[in-house]
Amino acid sequence: MSSATPSPSTVLNAVDALAPAGTPVTTTEVATEFDCTARTIYNKLDILVNRGALETKKVGARGRVWWRPAEQSFDELSSAAHSRSPSAHSRLREREDSFQLSMENIDRETLYELIFNQTFHFIGVLEPDGTLIDANEAALSFGGLTREDVVGEPFWETYWWQLSDGTQAQLRDAIDRAADGEFVRFEVEVQGADRTAVIDFSLRPVSNEYGEILLLVPEGQDITELKERKQHLQRVNRLNTVIRAIVQTVARAETREEIAQAVCDTLLEFDAYQSTVMGELSPPFVDFEPWTMAGDMETYLDGILDQQSPPLSEGPAAHAVRTGELHVQNDLADLPYDYWRHLADTHGIQSYASVPLRHQGTVYGVLGVYADRTEAFDQEKRRILTELGEIIGYALYALERRDVLDPTAELEFRSAEIARLCRTETDADFELALDSTVSFSDGRERHFWTVNGLSPQIVRSLVESGFPSASDFRLLKDVEESARFHITATDQSIAAIFDTFDGELQTVTIKDDTARVIGRFPETVDSTTVVQAIREQYSDIELVAQRRLLTPTYLRQFVDEKLTDRQQAALQLAYSGGYYERPRLKTGEELAAELGISRQTFHYHLRRAEFTVFCHLFEQAAAPPSD
């Protein structure tokens, strides 16, 4: 038994196999040879009668039989066909031509069947007045119809076009225009047996050689999925546009709350989401701190956080934070508690998504998006929301890092004049690194340097002969080719000039006949002004590079905020002067003398500074040491 819809040629072969020419068979007998309905076989047999290949007659009230005519010569068949209709004669001539062309695997009947009845497009044939003459299998199957249901009816009154009066009026207008010779095409929604479909519909007039319209051929291509994909793509594109807008806003945000407000407000405008909220769950998931919310969210959140509410640790937000993965609830019947189901229903919530805000394995918060319709979060939206969660997570991570990292401008200068001053004492290449600077109350500055590549004796000669802005050279430490020393500098030194712009001298490297000077400044520094200031001392200085760095500043800010000037000076001088090294490079009494205070006062300021720093470092809530 064949499993495919048979062609008329196949049905004719089955009739020949069931009975010799002239012997009638019933529709049921023929249908048993195929895996399809009797109605389908009836339509095929009817086609064969119209083509002159079979004869038929009615038997009883509803029955009909079919038989192959007695053997005839080709000329007799041609003559009989000519007497029936020009179309039958034409088909026989086409068959004769096909034999002459030796078509091995397909004949004209099969070709007609493939074009008309085997295509997935909806095709029909109309009289110029709109009366339906025939419809193909695809159109009949879509509507759950037989030919008897529709043939002979005005096309606009057939089942397919019953969705609205406007649809029928549009079709009648199209038929009138096509009957006047116009090709008509438009998109329209039509009715099927179990669904509606959007089709790309056209009406093509068929005319003879004299221009007379003989037939109209309606054709429809089901574009429902194409339209849905297009609409989905438009929604996704719009969501991507929203995401880009959020990213731009987040990049400029200075606080966590600014990020949260921008995200919640923007998502609320997109896709008609009902409400949004962003915040963080406490580590044991017993409380939720909202950073911001948008839409009708406040009373719903109050209900979630009510003491009578089920534990947050079993909710979707906790699940998202715990797993680091997006959690979507499209069916509220799956919620584990009646309390939550009732609360969501009261606020009109039909589906929601909990988005973890994560970066590199750390979850910084959670975003809740709520919708007043079911299935609001398809696969593409889930992907985009997951990506959004990662973007926000990175932004929150960056904000944390911004608290401990300060954007810094590193400026690199070149000067031959500075190199010449150094070459008066040595031809060797070397590097000077400024370790720290301590400011005294009388305006002097103590600079602590490390030099690599020179002996201490040459360094002393170099400072004393080449740089009049420096004095009080003292060697602190000498290890092989590296030495540590301090000097007292005036406001004419490069380090002092940098300090006027809140900058710090980092290194001075002498190589060949060029000095390479590197300093770090606040990101907003005007480099042109810095160059002009240095040129008052070294006329050939040039800025050759400018780089943006992120440098740790948290502890430094803490020292500036928590320590007094005396405490800072004592602590920094002790550290830089070698007080903490073993053996000590300087005693407390020597350091006190440099600060112009007593040894007891120096130790008092030093102990207070040490305790404040250590207390903060180890987070011990203890009182400062007594005087």
Side-chain angles (χ1 to χ4, degrees):
M1 184 176 292
S2 173
S3 61
T5 303
S7 66
S9 297
T10 305
V11 173
L12 184 60
N13 291 336
V15 172
D16 289 338
L18 286 171
T23 303
V25 295
T26 65
T27 305
T28 302
E29 289 176 323
V30 180
T32 56
E33 299 297 314
F34 303 97
D35 187 14
C36 58
T37 64
R39 170 54 61 186
T40 299
I41 297 302
Y42 183 98
N43 291 337
K44 307 297 182 183
L45 293 169
D46 194 34
I47 291 172
L48 291 168
V49 171
N50 290 334
R51 296 176 181 176
L54 291 181
E55 292 185 1
T56 183
K57 72 175 181 178
K58 191 174 181 181
V59 177
R62 301 180 61 183
R64 183 171 290 276
V65 294
W66 320 79
W67 67 91
R68 181 79 123 148
E71 292 293 337
Q72 294 175 304
S73 67
F74 186 83
D75 290 338
E76 290 172 332
L77 286 172
S78 179
S79 177
H82 183 73
S83 66
R84 286 188 178 92
S85 69
S87 61
H89 172 72
S90 175
R91 282 192 291 271
L92 287 173
R93 294 303 304 172
E94 289 174 359
R95 186 177 302 171
E96 179 183 14
D97 291 341
S98 70
F99 293 150
Q100 292 173 351
L101 293 172
S102 300
M103 298 180 68
E104 296 179 359
N105 299 318
I106 189 169
D107 56 22
R108 293 291 181 178
E109 286 183 352
T110 304
L111 185 60
Y112 169 80
E113 180 70 14
L114 288 173
I115 294 174
F116 190 73
N117 273 326
Q118 299 300 317
T119 180
F120 60 85
H121 290 184
F122 307 147
I123 304 175
V125 182
L126 307 179
E127 297 283 2
D129 64 358
T131 301
L132 183 64
I133 298 174
D134 200 1
N136 73 342
E137 289 289 342
L140 294 172
S141 177
F142 170 72
L145 304 167
T146 66
R147 293 180 70 255
E148 285 72 15
D149 293 329
V150 292
V151 170
E153 298 291 331
F155 194 32
W156 59 86
E157 292 183 2
T158 57
Y159 175 78
W160 301 294
W161 300 90
Q162 300 302 307
L163 280 177
S164 70
D165 293 341
T167 299
Q168 290 178 305
Q170 185 180 23
L171 176 61
R172 294 191 68 170
D173 176 69
I175 290 173
D176 289 341
R177 291 160 57 192
D180 288 336
E182 180 182 350
F183 172 73
V184 184
R185 183 179 181 182
F186 55 89
E187 290 182 11
V188 65
E189 187 176 11
V190 293
Q191 183 171 270
D194 53 7
R195 67 181 180 93
T196 60
V198 178
I199 63 172
D200 180 3
F201 178 75
S202 64
L203 264 176
R204 185 183 304 276
V206 178
S207 59
N208 59 20
E209 60 184 339
Y210 303 108
E212 298 172 335
I213 305 301
L214 302 178
L215 298 170
L216 304 179
V217 178
E219 181 177 359
Q221 179 182 358
D222 188 347
I223 58 172
T224 306
E225 291 186 7
L226 181 64
K227 294 286 288 186
E228 290 175 351
R229 285 197 299 270
K230 183 177 180 181
Q231 292 170 356
H232 175 72
L233 183 60
Q234 289 173 342
R235 290 194 298 268
V236 170
N237 287 340
R238 185 182 171 203
L239 181 54
N240 281 326
T241 301
V242 169
I243 296 300
R244 285 194 293 271
I246 289 176
V247 170
Q248 292 174 358
T249 303
V250 165
R252 296 190 298 268
E254 295 292 333
T255 66
R256 183 181 64 182
E257 286 68 25
E258 284 184 50
I259 293 176
Q261 195 67 57
V263 172
C264 288
D265 289 344
T266 307
L267 283 178
L268 194 66
E269 297 174 4
F270 171 77
D271 210 16
Y273 287 133
Q274 183 184 23
S275 53
T276 53
V277 62
M278 188 185 295
E280 63 181 325
L281 281 163
S282 58
F285 305 122
V286 296
D287 194 17
F288 176 76
E289 177 194 347
W291 301 335
T292 194
M293 61 187 77
D296 185 15
M297 193 68 201
E298 188 169 352
T299 56
Y300 174 78
L301 194 59
D302 288 342
I304 289 292
L305 300 179
D306 189 272
Q307 292 183 350
Q308 304 302 317
S309 175
L312 289 176
S313 59
E314 299 182 37
H319 177 82
V321 172
R322 191 181 296 114
T323 63
E325 297 179 354
L326 175 73
H327 181 78
V328 170
Q329 193 79 41
N330 274 323
D331 188 353
L332 300 187
D334 294 335
L335 288 173
Y337 293 100
D338 290 338
Y339 180 94
W340 284 343
R341 288 194 291 270
H342 175 72
L343 188 64
D345 185 62
T346 301
H347 288 79
I349 297 172
Q350 296 295 315
S351 59
Y352 57 83
S354 295
V355 186
L357 313 177
R358 65 193 299 267
H359 176 68
Q360 294 182 344
T362 300
V363 177
Y364 294 88
V366 63
L367 167 66
V369 184
Y370 300 82
D372 57 3
R373 61 192 184 280
T374 59
E375 305 296 334
F377 305 97
D378 58 24
Q379 196 65 32
E380 186 63 22
K381 288 181 182 176
R382 294 185 188 199
R383 182 192 67 77
I384 293 177
L385 285 176
T386 298
E387 181 179 338
L388 176 61
E390 293 173 352
I391 292 171
I392 300 171
Y394 176 78
L396 295 173
Y397 159 80
L399 278 181
E400 284 193 359
R401 296 291 294 170
R402 194 180 302 173
D403 289 339
V404 298
L405 294 177
D406 186 37
T408 301
E410 183 179 83
L411 305 184
E412 180 178 340
F413 305 89
R414 299 289 173 88
S415 170
E417 183 178 347
I418 295 176
R420 283 195 299 272
L421 293 174
C422 296
R423 289 308 182 202
T424 59
E425 300 296 328
T426 178
D427 292 331
D429 295 338
F430 62 91
E431 180 184 80
L432 288 163
L434 181 60
D435 298 328
S436 63
T437 300
V438 179
S439 298
F440 296 143
S441 58
D442 59 2
R444 294 176 301 125
E445 286 188 343
R446 177 64 49 81
H447 292 177
F448 292 84
W449 292 84
T450 297
V451 60
N452 294 306
L454 289 183
S455 67
Q457 294 78 12
I458 294 179
V459 174
R460 179 189 295 272
S461 299
L462 182 63
V463 170
E464 292 177 349
S465 64
F467 296 91
S469 60
S471 61
D472 299 332
F473 176 91
R474 177 172 175 175
L475 180 66
L476 299 175
K477 196 171 186 179
D478 180 17
V479 180
E480 295 181 352
E481 293 270 322
S482 178
R484 194 156 179 268
F485 64 93
H486 73 58
I487 58 173
T488 301
T490 69
D491 57 4
Q492 304 299 310
S493 68
I494 290 183
I497 296 172
F498 281 11
D499 186 59
T500 61
F501 296 95
D502 294 326
E504 294 180 345
L505 177 62
Q506 299 293 306
T507 60
V508 178
T509 304
I510 307 298
K511 186 174 182 180
D512 298 330
D513 296 326
T514 303
R516 176 172 173 259
V517 181
I518 293 180
R520 291 181 180 174
F521 300 81
E523 189 179 27
T524 56
V525 69
D526 183 354
S527 57
T528 302
T529 305
V530 175
V531 172
Q532 291 173 348
I534 302 175
R535 281 179 178 171
E536 293 181 6
Q537 298 296 324
Y538 305 101
S539 59
D540 72 333
I541 200 82
E542 290 183 343
L543 178 66
V544 296
Q546 182 167 341
R547 293 174 286 270
R548 184 178 186 270
L549 304 176
L550 290 175
T551 57
T553 61
Y554 177 71
L555 285 177
R556 190 161 188 170
Q557 289 176 353
F558 169 79
V559 169
D560 290 341
E561 294 172 0
K562 301 297 183 181
L563 303 185
T564 66
D565 292 342
R566 283 292 182 93
Q567 290 170 358
Q568 286 190 49
L571 185 61
Q572 192 168 1
L573 192 62
Y575 175 78
S576 300
Y579 178 79
Y580 293 107
E581 297 190 28
R582 289 293 180 267
R584 285 177 175 168
L585 303 181
K586 284 189 178 182
T587 66
E589 189 170 357
E590 288 178 302
L591 296 174
E594 291 183 15
L595 289 173
I597 57 179
S598 68
R599 181 175 61 83
Q600 292 81 2
T601 302
F602 169 76
H603 282 293
Y604 168 78
H605 290 309
L606 183 61
R607 284 172 42 240
R608 298 273 299 190
E610 290 171 343
F611 180 84
T612 302
V613 172
F614 294 155
C615 182
H616 181 82
L617 178 63
F618 300 119
E619 298 183 348
Q620 295 176 349
S626 62
D627 294 343

